Amino acid sequence: MTAFVLVNISLFAILGATALAITRMRALYEATMLTALFSLVTGSLFVLLDAVDVAFTEAAVGVGISTVLLLGVLSLTRSREAVTPRRRRLPAALVVLFAGGALGYAAQDLPPFGSATTPVRDHPVTETYLVQSQQDMGIPNTVTSVLASYRGLDTLGELVVVFTAGVTVLLLLGPLTRRNHPVKKDLVLADYRVLRVVSGVLMPFILLFALYVLFHGDYGAGGGFQAGVIFASGFVLYGLVFGLDRVQQVLPQAVLWVLIPLGLLLFMGLGVATVLLGGSFLDYDTLRPDDTAAGQRLGILLVETAIGLTVATVMTSVFFSFTGRGASR
């Protein structure tokens, strides 16, 4: 057994143990922390499988912003799970066993783990993406080329889902134009000098790293989704430490209402512009007819910026809404 396989088996065992612990745990705060651990180990597995972009997203979304939002939700409700009546456990267990069995049966058709003859390696589309994309766009990160150009329409659909989900959550929590309730003193961590100083020092570096991830996504792991979450995490950290009033002085709610649809409008407007220039929807070649590779890079940069803008503002707005409701027990 090679070291690579041994590490994968060890991480998978940790995933299984963590999942089992979560199902057995009634304390919701501890379960949230274990969920973050589950995402961290999953990201490590993605790194071993050379899916660095997916691992980056899992770390930023699963470990970072999702954990914070879950903690924000728990601050509005009880900290322990209600006891489920025994009569409801059997149907749930049957559903889990059926779904797990179906997935296990379907997995029998998958190629052997780590095989060099998988369809991913042998299919002609793979050669097109890995080789042709370099000639068409000159972007080293093939993942960025695929997401932002080849399947740009699909990525636009994903951004619409993020926008719709975010706006729905905000409408359920109440209008952002309404002044939020004051945050209770026990939710403000600014009294701890170490937290105050460290978070103040880290804030500009977090935002700078988000810009790096955004503009460096065509050369390495990163892009608009990851950058947007990192941007949001910076403001979330500032709000957790200094309180909601302080962070809203830097980023008012009215500004967020304007910025949330701006990214989506930029994405869709870019597609309309390419049509008006005589090309297909989201055909970036029309942006620079004399240099199609430069046109592709320009279009991808605008698309990534639009994605980062919408993701960052939606995540930040959701956190503001949860925090503004105050804690209740």
Side-chain angles (χ1 to χ4, degrees), residues 30-256:
E30 288 81 350
T32 300
M33 294 297 100
L34 286 180
T35 303
L37 174 62
F38 189 93
S39 295
L40 180 61
V41 178
T42 302
S44 301
L45 281 170
F46 285 141
V47 172
L48 292 176
L49 296 174
D50 291 332
V52 183
D53 286 85
V54 182
F56 201 163
T57 305
E58 183 67 33
V61 178
V63 183
I65 198 70
S66 295
T67 302
V68 173
L69 293 180
L70 285 174
L71 292 176
V73 172
L74 292 179
S75 68
L76 306 177
T77 182
R78 65 182 67 183
S79 59
R80 294 190 64 84
E81 180 185 2
V83 178
T84 304
R86 187 175 297 275
R87 64 179 181 275
R88 295 184 181 179
R89 297 180 185 178
L90 181 59
L94 293 177
V95 171
V96 171
L97 291 176
F98 175 78
L103 292 175
Y105 177 76
Q108 301 302 313
D109 292 333
L110 293 175
F113 179 73
S115 174
T117 60
T118 61
V120 175
R121 298 176 181 270
D122 297 338
H123 200 280
V125 174
T126 302
E127 187 72 13
T128 300
Y129 284 150
L130 294 180
V131 178
Q132 189 65 33
S133 66
Q134 302 298 320
Q135 301 174 2
D136 293 341
M137 308 172 195
I139 293 178
N141 189 358
T142 306
V143 176
T144 300
S145 301
V146 173
L147 294 180
S149 182
Y150 287 119
R151 45 168 289 204
L153 189 61
D154 181 68
T155 303
L156 175 59
E158 294 177 1
L159 191 63
V160 171
V161 171
V162 173
F163 171 80
T164 305
V167 171
T168 302
V169 172
L170 298 179
L171 292 177
L172 290 174
L173 293 176
L176 287 182
T177 53
R178 182 186 63 190
R179 182 169 180 82
N180 291 319
H181 302 295
V183 181
K184 292 187 177 182
K185 185 65 176 176
D186 58 354
L187 295 178
V188 180
L189 304 177
D191 293 337
Y192 297 92
R193 182 174 302 177
V194 174
L195 291 177
R196 185 174 68 249
V197 173
V198 172
S199 60
V201 172
L202 286 179
M203 182 68 176
F205 290 100
I206 293 174
L207 300 182
L208 181 62
F209 181 65
L211 290 175
Y212 172 82
V213 171
L214 176 63
F215 295 115
H216 197 262
D218 50 350
Y219 291 95
F225 286 104
Q226 298 93 328
V229 174
I230 296 173
F231 262 114
S233 66
F235 290 104
V236 167
L237 173 64
Y238 194 86
L240 285 174
V241 175
F242 294 98
L244 187 61
D245 292 337
R246 287 282 300 274
V247 73
Q248 286 181 343
Q249 293 176 3
V250 180
L251 189 62
Q253 292 178 340
V255 175
L256 284 177

